[in-house]
Amino acid sequence: MLRIGVLVSGGGTNLQALIDAVSSGRITNAEIAVVVSNNAGAFALKRAEKHGIEALCISPKDYACREQFHEALLSALVSRNLDLIVLAGCLVAIPPEMVQAFPMKIINIHPSLIPSFCGRGYYGLRVHEKVLERGVKITGATVHFVDEGTDTGPIILQKAVEVQPFDTPEILQRRVMEQAEWIILPEAVNLIANGRLMMTDGHVWTKEKDA
Ligand code: GRF
């Protein structure tokens, strides 16, 4: 059974997609052990509590400096014996110590087709604003492993979504969530949990070998 920690900052619709997929059996061999938010008001925490999942707020505001916040976050995650950390709308920049503590065990959902519209400054609605500004006709979402860069880790799954005439960033964001994010994030977790994620060199991801 893969023990998952989910890091969130906001509404938590991607977290909900994971909770629903575990309940319905679209994700097997995995349990969500803890949900951590940097923001006490995140609705995602309520979603976790409603489903009997441990919900924690670890906010930078409660620590004297960034290092202490990072230490608290890391020790909360390490102490829960997690096999996988899912960043599901997590707006905290993941510190290198956390990547080193969980190598190839942190995945992120990004709302564009990486390597387009990603990197520093590309988060939330801003991604969709830039997509519309550039006028591309296809966008989508990407699930990838987290390394020490921003949106640079190995790609796990991608799904394309059409941009429509008269889209606003909000309308496009919703379509990308519905048609891509809420589908590929649970799918990626299920592949990992069941030892079916094939890496680009052909070997299958395992928590022992890839860490
Ligand atoms: C999603 O668009 C996700 O791709 C991005 O932040 C948003 C989070 O939405 N990283 P939610 O909190 O899962 O509803």
Side-chain angles (χ1 to χ4, degrees), residues 7-207:
L7 267 52
V8 295
S9 297
T13 61
N14 280 290
L15 167 67
Q16 191 67 53
L18 292 172
I19 293 172
D20 293 347
V22 170
S23 311
S24 71
R26 274 177 297 123
I27 294 177
T28 54
N29 288 321
E31 61 170 326
I32 303 174
V34 65
V35 171
V36 185
S37 172
N38 60 309
N39 162 17
F43 187 64
L45 289 174
K46 298 260 178 311
R47 294 181 194 267
E49 282 162 8
K50 188 171 166 213
H51 289 85
I53 300 167
E54 184 187 13
L56 288 179
C57 172
I58 301 178
S59 164
K61 291 184 194 149
D62 298 328
Y63 298 89
C65 62
R66 206 73 191 168
E67 287 68 34
Q68 285 180 16
F69 162 63
H70 287 159
E71 276 168 28
L73 180 60
L74 188 57
S75 84
L77 297 171
V78 168
S79 68
R80 279 158 182 87
N81 276 321
L82 303 172
D83 301 307
L84 185 71
I85 294 173
V86 179
L87 309 183
C90 170
L91 294 178
V92 171
I94 298 304
E97 309 87 72
M98 200 164 131
V99 177
Q100 285 150 19
F102 292 95
M104 292 292 280
K105 288 185 181 176
I106 308 176
I107 68 172
N108 179 48
I109 176 85
H110 181 79
S112 77
L113 293 175
I114 290 174
S116 292
F117 306 104
C118 65
R120 271 176 77 89
Y122 283 86
Y123 60 88
L125 265 189
R126 193 147 175 81
V127 175
H128 306 289
E129 282 165 13
K130 290 286 177 193
V131 163
L132 293 175
E133 252 172 58
R134 185 62 186 87
V136 297
K137 302 300 178 198
I138 304 283
T139 183
T142 303
V143 182
H144 63 92
F145 284 106
V146 173
D147 64 9
E148 291 183 22
T150 307
D151 302 329
T152 50
I155 290 172
I156 300 170
L157 290 175
Q158 293 188 298
K159 192 165 189 297
V161 173
E162 280 185 22
V163 179
Q164 304 286 355
F166 311 114
D167 270 350
T168 63
E170 291 80 6
I171 290 172
L172 183 58
Q173 179 181 51
R174 182 78 193 176
R175 189 179 312 116
V176 168
M177 285 176 157
E178 286 176 357
Q179 296 184 7
E181 294 182 40
W182 301 342
I183 299 167
I184 61 174
L185 185 59
E187 208 176 310
V189 169
N190 190 49
L191 289 174
I192 291 171
N194 288 283
R196 288 198 286 112
L197 175 63
M198 177 97 72
M199 306 299 286
T200 42
D201 67 0
H203 84 273
V204 171
W205 182 95
T206 62
K207 57 185 177 189

